[in-house]
Amino acid sequence: MKIGIGNDHSALELKAEIVEFLKEKGHEVVDYGTYTAESCDYPAYGEAVGRAVASGEVEQGILICGTGLGISLAANKVKGVRAAVCSEPYTAKMARAHNNCNILAFGARVVGAELAKMIVETWLNTEFEGGRHQRRVDMIMEIEGKA
Ligand code: RB5
């Protein structure tokens, strides 16, 4: 799978571990930055990955900041994005199975590397169930079109 990844300065090390993990699993990774430890503004990276997912440039996105919150909030402002902050595998599984989320976010100051890998693996191995969940996801996306 082609996966876009983005992060702020708080998540440089964790991002590197996740990129390596994804490549070991055979995924193609596009890194939208940030690339240095210099303090930066997470909305830019949330938006970049959000746009890449929404345009189909990548199939799924992963975003990491200190908490996963700010960067996912930014991504969720891009039309077509459903980003979810997941700090454990159960939420990651349900975010895919029921909410058909297309961006996984988590916090480098919240989860350790091994837990993050379990969350990522669960996310990538879970398919959207469709059915009644499709109707609900459609309802969420219709909100984007309202003033
Ligand atoms: C940066 O200090 C921190 O605010 C950011 O990484 C993130 O946690 C924001 O939601």
Side-chain angles (χ1 to χ4, degrees), residues 86-94 115 118-119 122-123:
C86 302
S87 301
E88 32 68 34
Y90 179 75
T91 307
K93 186 179 172 73
M94 301 316 283
L115 179 55
M118 288 176 73
I119 292 167
T122 302
W123 179 276

Side-chain angles (χ1 to χ4, degrees), residues 2-17:
K2 192 170 179 183
I3 299 168
I5 196 162
N7 61 286
D8 74 0
H9 52 278
S10 69
L12 256 199
E13 283 177 27
L14 182 55
K15 193 236 333 238
E17 285 209 49

Side-chain angles (χ1 to χ4, degrees), residues 7-11 39-43 64-73 106-110:
N7 61 286
D8 74 0
H9 52 278
S10 69
S39 182
C40 65
D41 299 324
Y42 55 79
I64 322 171
C65 64
T67 58
L69 289 171
I71 204 161
S72 65
L73 288 168
F106 48 86
R109 294 171 179 159
V110 179

Side-chain angles (χ1 to χ4, degrees), residues 58-113:
V58 296
E59 292 162 70
Q60 287 275 322
I62 296 178
L63 289 171
I64 322 171
C65 64
T67 58
L69 289 171
I71 204 161
S72 65
L73 288 168
N76 272 318
K77 294 297 180 190
V78 177
K79 212 169 184 178
V81 166
R82 291 176 300 282
V85 181
C86 302
S87 301
E88 32 68 34
Y90 179 75
T91 307
K93 186 179 172 73
M94 301 316 283
R96 289 287 308 126
H98 286 190
N99 311 119
N100 199 17
C101 287
N102 47 19
I103 296 186
L104 165 66
F106 48 86
R109 294 171 179 159
V110 179
V111 299

